[in-house]
Amino acid sequence: MEKKNVPSLVKDQQLIHKRREQIIKGAVRLFIEKGFHRTTTREIAKESGFSIGTLYEYIGKKEDVLYLVCDAIYDEVTERLKKQLHTTGPALQRLKEAIRAYFLVIDSMQEEVLVMYQETKSLPKETLPYVLKKETEMVEMMEEILADCKKENVLNLSDKEMKLVTHNILVAGQMWTFRRWALRRHFTLEEYIDMQIKQLIST
């Protein structure tokens, strides 16, 4: 399934990217505070720092903003995981670095992640399958690194166990966002990552 073509009246791709980043940041703050449905496009425009007319130069409708939030998260996570797939070295070390990279990007985009999981249900039917497919691709990339560990005999996992470990890794990263109010009382981010890696892939 192809990426949704979000309409824009502007042709300058760098400007589109810059303005949409502003829109995403502004919208995320509002979605957390009020929810997607109670937030108006006028409020998104104001929070983003420009007029409602300017906003509609970069999107077609409010649902496009939510799609851009979800797409930005998956693109960033996917890019970081791909780097670990194409590096050399022992598979177990690459797996640890992939987990670390994933946790760090989740931390850097924690507000966006929170909105994504709260509001994915509000995506239009035509874009929801694309977003879910991106999640599946992320799972498959992590599974690929786990499979390399199995080939090198550093992890002894069945296919089903590998799938479970993969999902546990993804959920553990997201938990830093959902439970940060409690976790930060006890752990720094680095401590949390190190302890989760130890528990998730104990050999």
Side-chain angles (χ1 to χ4, degrees), residues 90-143:
L92 187 61
Q93 185 59 37
R94 288 191 292 116
L95 175 61
K96 289 178 180 180
E97 289 305 318
I99 295 172
R100 183 174 301 279
Y102 169 69
F103 278 41
L104 288 173
V105 73
I106 292 296
D107 176 66
S108 69
M109 302 183 76
Q110 55 192 253
E111 301 292 348
E112 289 90 338
V113 171
L114 191 60
V115 166
M116 184 180 72
Y117 280 94
Q118 286 177 342
E119 301 293 353
T120 296
K121 62 185 181 297
S122 301
L123 283 167
K125 289 182 180 179
E126 66 270 18
T127 55
L128 182 58
Y130 170 80
V131 170
L132 295 179
K133 183 175 181 291
K134 299 277 277 192
E135 172 91 11
T136 301
E137 288 173 356
M138 197 164 61
V139 168
E140 290 171 350
M141 280 191 288
M142 196 67 79
E143 279 185 354

Side-chain angles (χ1 to χ4, degrees), residues 7-58:
S8 174
L9 300 177
V10 178
K11 302 302 180 187
D12 185 332
Q13 292 301 312
Q14 285 188 333
L15 186 57
I16 291 172
H17 180 73
K18 179 182 177 181
R19 291 289 183 256
R20 285 182 175 171
E21 279 191 337
Q22 289 176 255
I23 292 168
I24 288 169
K25 293 295 183 185
V28 162
R29 288 191 290 268
L30 290 168
F31 292 166
I32 288 173
E33 179 186 344
K34 303 178 64 174
F36 173 77
H37 290 294
R38 292 178 58 218
T39 299
T40 67
T41 51
R42 190 170 297 279
E43 289 171 327
I44 293 171
K46 182 179 180 181
E47 191 71 17
S48 304
F50 34 74
S51 69
I52 186 71
T54 301
L55 178 73
Y56 278 111
E57 290 180 2
Y58 297 96

Side-chain angles (χ1 to χ4, degrees), residues 63-74:
E63 287 78 9
D64 289 341
V65 179
L66 183 57
Y67 170 82
L68 290 171
V69 171
C70 296
D71 201 42
I73 294 166
Y74 283 122

Side-chain angles (χ1 to χ4, degrees), residues 137-190:
E137 288 173 356
M138 197 164 61
V139 168
E140 290 171 350
M141 280 191 288
M142 196 67 79
E143 279 185 354
E144 188 175 335
I145 305 175
L146 278 165
D148 288 343
C149 290
K150 185 176 180 179
K151 287 177 187 176
E152 293 182 11
N153 295 314
V154 291
L155 287 180
N156 183 24
L157 299 170
S158 68
D159 289 345
K160 282 191 173 183
E161 287 171 331
M162 212 150 40
K163 286 191 178 297
L164 183 58
V165 169
T166 301
H167 284 282
N168 282 345
I169 290 169
L170 298 181
V171 170
Q174 294 155 8
M175 186 170 73
W176 180 252
T177 290
F178 301 140
R179 300 283 300 172
R180 63 190 173 189
W181 58 273
L183 293 170
R184 283 180 172 169
R185 296 176 188 171
H186 307 287
F187 313 102
T188 65
L189 176 59
E190 286 301 318

